[in-house]
């Protein structure tokens, strides 16, 4: 079994989704800030946005949806959690077998020497942060127009092709290549179950589209 999650699974923990209410920061869309071009133009602005997201996420705790996926992982011998989320709430809930397609907001990477390190402080004392080598640091996440970490998508595709069931939770399925796992699973003959508050572009092709909150539906599904 494979599970693909998006920002919707963390919504009930108080983390705003990207394309839902509360997701905009100072009227900027994520596509305006989460790009290498935006960072090159104005690293201070991009870091202010990430600092805002870090402060929000730092207060959040995993919810019953995250917990249900941990139970599923324990129950199923073959299980892979593929997440687009960078918030670390799956880790905090106790998920182990996980592929983080879009990286991790709690990691930093130096734009000069390439070293990377964890930093879990809610608020960074000085923006933009720098590496010990003096180089400008960036968040350890994947931005629009950037490739996913090496080998990550291949692993996600492999897990999807092996799975008899793909559970898709709380993603608008608009960002690629992550969303391509949904038609891939269908083509490979897996059953695809979607859990979302609203329809997505894939609602028509999935085997079962459950409309509702992940924190309510997932615990019932796992039982
Ligand atoms: P989006 O904000 O695009 O979509 C969130 C989805 O979750 C929507 O379809 C909502 O209907 C649904 N949703 C909201 N609350 C929910 C709840 N309680 N239960 C179930 N579903 C709920 O977020 P993603 O699809 O994750 O990428 O966005 C994909 C990527 O775009 C992100 O990883 C990020 C973003 O820009 C990067 O930063 C590279």
């Amino acid at each position: 079994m494979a599970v693909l999650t998006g920002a919707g699974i963390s919504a009930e923990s108080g983390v705003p989704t990207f394309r839902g209410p509360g997701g905009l920061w100072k009227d900027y869309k994520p596509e305006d800030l989460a790009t290498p071009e935006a960072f090159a133009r104005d690293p201070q602005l991009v870091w202010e946005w990430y600092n805002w997201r870090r402060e929000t996420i730092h207060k959040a705790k995993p919810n019953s949806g995250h917990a249900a996926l941990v139970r599923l992982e324990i129950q199923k011998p073959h299980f892979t959690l593929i997440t687009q989320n960078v918030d670390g709430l799956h880790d905090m809930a106790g998920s182990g077998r996980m592929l983080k397609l879009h990286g991790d907001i709690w990691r930093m990477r130096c734009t000069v020497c390439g070293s990377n390190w964890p930093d879990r402080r809610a608020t960074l004392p000085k923006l933009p942060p720098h590496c010990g080598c003096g180089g400008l640091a960036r968040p350890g996440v994947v931005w629009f127009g950037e490739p996913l970490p090496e080998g990550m998508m291949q692993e996600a595709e492999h897990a999807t092709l092996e799975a008899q069931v793909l559970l898709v939770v709380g993603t608008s399925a608009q960002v690629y290549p992550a969303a391509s796992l949904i038609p891939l699973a269908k083509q490979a003959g897996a059953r695809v179950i979607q859990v979302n508050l609203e329809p997505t572009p894939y609602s028509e092709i999935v085997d079962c589209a459950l409309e509702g909150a992940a924190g309510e539906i997932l615990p019932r599904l796992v039982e």
Side-chain angles (χ1 to χ4, degrees):
M1 169 163 208
V3 182
L4 172 67
T5 63
I9 194 166
S10 297
E12 288 154 88
S13 296
V15 182
T17 62
F18 292 96
R19 293 169 185 80
L24 290 188
W25 175 77
K26 295 188 181 174
D27 288 338
Y28 291 102
K29 293 199 290 278
E31 292 85 346
D32 299 332
L33 295 168
T35 70
E37 293 77 23
F39 190 67
R41 203 167 43 236
D42 195 345
Q44 178 75 24
L45 177 76
V46 172
W47 264 115
E48 281 174 23
W49 179 54
Y50 276 99
N51 213 36
W52 171 73
R53 287 196 68 85
R54 286 168 72 106
E55 284 170 5
T56 313
I57 296 169
H58 202 264
K59 289 185 227 132
K61 294 199 171 49
N63 64 54
S64 48
H66 297 103
L69 296 184
V70 178
R71 287 205 298 283
L72 210 50
E73 177 174 334
I74 294 165
Q75 283 170 17
K76 302 280 172 198
H78 300 289
F79 178 94
T80 308
L81 174 56
I82 305 162
T83 188
Q84 299 167 82
N85 298 349
V86 299
D87 57 27
L89 291 180
H90 284 305
D91 311 62
M92 210 187 274
S95 284
R97 262 172 283 155
M98 193 188 346
L99 297 173
K100 294 184 186 177
L101 293 185
H102 294 163
D104 189 331
I105 200 168
W106 302 114
R107 294 197 71 84
M108 317 277 251
R109 194 160 82 238
C110 179
T111 58
V112 176
C113 74
S115 62
N116 69 89
W117 64 95
D119 187 329
R120 281 207 71 94
R121 288 175 293 178
T123 307
L124 295 166
K126 191 168 166 289
L127 296 180
H130 284 81
C131 171
C133 81
L136 179 64
R138 59 163 284 174
V141 302
V142 176
W143 284 330
F144 288 101
E146 289 185 324
L148 302 193
E150 211 185 324
M152 187 71 79
M153 197 58 200
Q154 288 81 346
E155 258 194 80
E157 285 171 351
H158 181 75
T160 302
L161 291 171
E162 297 275 286
Q164 287 174 348
V165 176
L166 176 70
L167 178 60
V168 182
V169 185
T171 177
S172 61
Q174 288 180 31
V175 173
Y176 287 81
S180 68
L181 296 173
I182 303 168
L184 183 71
K186 276 306 300 173
Q187 282 155 22
R191 285 181 67 80
V192 181
I193 303 169
Q194 174 178 273
V195 177
N196 200 306
L197 286 183
E198 53 189 46
T200 75
Y202 288 109
S203 291
E204 296 296 318
I205 72 145
V206 300
D207 296 280
C208 177
L210 301 171
E211 279 191 25
E216 285 165 25
I217 293 182
L218 290 183
R220 280 164 44 206
L221 261 187
V222 173
E223 265 174 35

